[in-house]
Amino acid sequence: MSIIKQEDFIQSIADALQYISYYHPADYIQALGEAYKVEQSPAAKDAIAQILTNSRMCAEGKRPICQDTGIVVAFVKVGMSVCFEGELSLEEMVNEGVRRAYLLPENKLRASIVNDPTGARKNTKDNTPAVTHVELVQGNMVEVSIAAKGGGSENKAKFAMLNPNDSIVDWILETVPTMGAGWCPPGMLGIGIGGDAEKAMILAKESLMQPINMHELIQKGAHNRLEELRLEIYEKVNNLGIGAQGLGGLTTVLDVKILDYPTHAASLPVAIIPNCAATRHIHFNLGGTGVAELTPPDISIYPDIHWAPSPQARRVNLDMLTKADIAHWQAGETLLLSGKLLTGRDAAHKRISAMLAKGEQLPVDFTNRFIYYVGPVDAVRDEIVGPAGPTTATRMDDYTEMMLGQLNLLGSIGKAERGDEALAVIAKYKSVYLMAIGGAAYLVSKAIKKSRVVAFADLGMEAIYEFEVVDMPVTVAVSATGESVHITGPAEWKESIAKHKTIKIHSVPQFT
């Protein structure tokens, strides 16, 4: 019988969450590096370069890969010959480990969890509770697989109860384009098949804990039906041309993982959950010998890629912009922003709307300003601000008319695409929408030279800040005419891939 001390279990959870906050899995780095080598879309290649550069910076600086440090998901398999020494329940121990990790002063992680989800949605301040799945198994070990799942990718989870004779591949190919770019591709698709509704979703989530090994599977070939499905879905999803950050390109997914389970004869439950560019998970075992030992990755695994702004990028002074200036910006153009911009996301927009409805005066003037959709990590040491990458802009679409029409906002900055109605409003007011790279939060934060809260301080990371930035890298995602690179980019690359008919799971096309 193994005796697991409560403190060892808690500290192992805390150490694991700190570890994955700044270390990508080695297999992800290597797969993304290979994707960079073969990528032929300049926009996608630049996005991947930013993500890889950000990853190295985080590993060296021990700071979060992404400002969204995730909801914690733990799969815990407890051997039936294990005895825990302590007073807390297993879930309470997991939550204490989460609390300890997220409040660690030298690398405080962003608390994103809110309770009363249909009511006050008040932040719990320590990122608890986690979502914990417990299974009793044979043996005298405790096996833990733990992940920190970002909201942008989690929000794109999809489920369907198909008929037994329906095509899973066809459903996935119909579904993936509807997920947009808010899940920050390139990443992984986790697929769960069978069981019942909740079992399929859990299988999809658990499959994302597996290592990336698509290249090995391609080399050895499929040996069972699930491996055949993995290869087929991998090829056909990449042939959609969605590409890194949804900008269009050759690599949308680095791997496809599938777990299945027996199901009812009348049923075919299927779930998809994507993993984003901030892929964060780790596996460790405890056998009663102390805290889990987690070995840092060798920095030599990182490809020799060091992103730098393009010499052709347009430098922009935010403090002097007018609508006449932004009217000339072209969709897909790269910019380097300097000057002052405001921040705001879901909770701030909701409060602004409520204040306007009551006729109350706003604490901030948005006239001719840019707003950045971000909820940054708290600063540590000598930082101005912690990692501060963009959040998914589509969540603010419903407020676009209010911000551009009533409040005279000049433009916005976020990640992923805008919806059709938001595109029409942007064109109506001759505004623009700029895109920063999701998965490059620490890199982006280095462009922020000053930061102060200017409104709604009680909202924590969702407060309105004023950032002063120097050469903050962005792409014009939607021009003043309403042209969107998230529509034109994937369409162009999907057509090119189909035209050349050379995208195969065993080869990469060379377009001329």
Side-chain angles (χ1 to χ4, degrees), residues 55-320:
S55 182
R56 178 192 286 271
M57 290 171 61
C58 293
E60 293 173 340
K62 291 185 168 51
R63 290 296 276 144
I65 293 165
C66 180
Q67 78 288 339
D68 182 351
T69 48
I71 183 170
V72 175
V73 182
F75 289 89
V76 185
K77 295 182 179 180
V78 180
M80 289 187 287
S81 296
V82 166
C83 178
F84 283 96
E85 184 180 275
E87 298 177 352
L88 299 179
S89 71
L90 192 144
E91 289 193 36
E92 287 172 336
M93 287 191 286
V94 170
N95 287 333
E96 181 55 34
V98 172
R99 186 174 295 110
R100 192 175 294 182
Y102 278 70
L103 298 180
L104 188 70
E106 53 264 42
N107 185 38
K108 191 174 181 181
L109 308 180
R110 195 185 83 180
S112 301
I113 303 305
V114 297
N115 58 23
D116 192 13
T118 62
R121 295 182 66 87
K122 186 176 180 181
N123 198 299
T124 63
K125 305 295 186 183
D126 57 12
N127 222 57
T128 65
V131 177
T132 304
H133 304 278
V134 183
E135 182 181 354
L136 286 176
V137 298
Q138 292 184 344
N140 60 355
M141 302 286 287
V142 174
E143 301 177 28
V144 179
S145 294
I146 196 162
K149 195 70 167 55
S153 60
E154 190 67 8
N155 288 349
K156 302 302 181 178
K158 304 291 182 181
F159 172 80
M161 191 64 79
L162 302 182
N163 291 321
N165 293 325
D166 288 342
S167 167
I168 292 173
V169 175
D170 286 350
W171 178 75
I172 289 171
L173 293 178
E174 292 170 2
T175 301
V176 169
T178 70
M179 292 161 54
W183 62 280
C184 287
M188 298 166 62
L189 289 183
I191 300 172
I193 303 171
D196 54 10
E198 70 269 21
K199 182 65 174 180
M201 294 300 288
I202 291 171
L203 289 170
K205 182 65 66 66
E206 190 171 12
S207 74
L208 291 173
M209 304 289 189
Q210 298 175 348
I212 295 173
N213 64 352
M214 180 54 70
H215 289 295
E216 289 91 333
L217 179 57
I218 290 171
Q219 290 173 359
K220 75 180 182 65
H223 287 82
N224 56 55
R225 177 55 182 151
L226 290 188
E227 289 184 346
E228 289 175 353
L229 272 175
R230 285 181 61 199
L231 289 170
E232 183 178 2
I233 293 167
Y234 172 80
E235 176 182 354
K236 290 182 175 179
V237 168
N238 281 326
N239 284 355
L240 293 172
I242 294 168
Q245 302 290 303
L247 295 170
L250 298 182
T251 303
T252 302
V253 290
L254 300 171
D255 204 340
V256 175
K257 297 298 182 183
I258 305 176
L259 289 177
D260 68 351
Y261 194 83
T263 191
H264 192 283
S267 302
L268 183 56
V270 184
I272 304 177
I273 304 178
N275 241 1
C276 63
T279 292
R280 292 169 295 211
H281 61 85
I282 195 168
H283 178 90
F284 62 85
N285 296 332
L286 295 175
T289 58
V291 176
E293 294 185 11
L294 307 174
T295 304
D298 190 330
I299 205 70
S300 66
I301 69 166
Y302 287 84
D304 189 21
I305 297 168
H306 305 273
W307 178 85
S310 167
Q312 286 75 45
R314 183 197 297 259
R315 281 190 155 81
V316 172
N317 184 343
L318 290 167
D319 301 330
M320 300 180 65

Side-chain angles (χ1 to χ4, degrees), residues 5 27 32 113 155 193 234 288 297 363 389 441 445 468 471:
K5 293 181 180 180
D27 53 75
L32 193 59
I113 303 305
N155 288 349
I193 303 171
Y234 172 80
S445 73
E468 189 167 334
D471 287 348

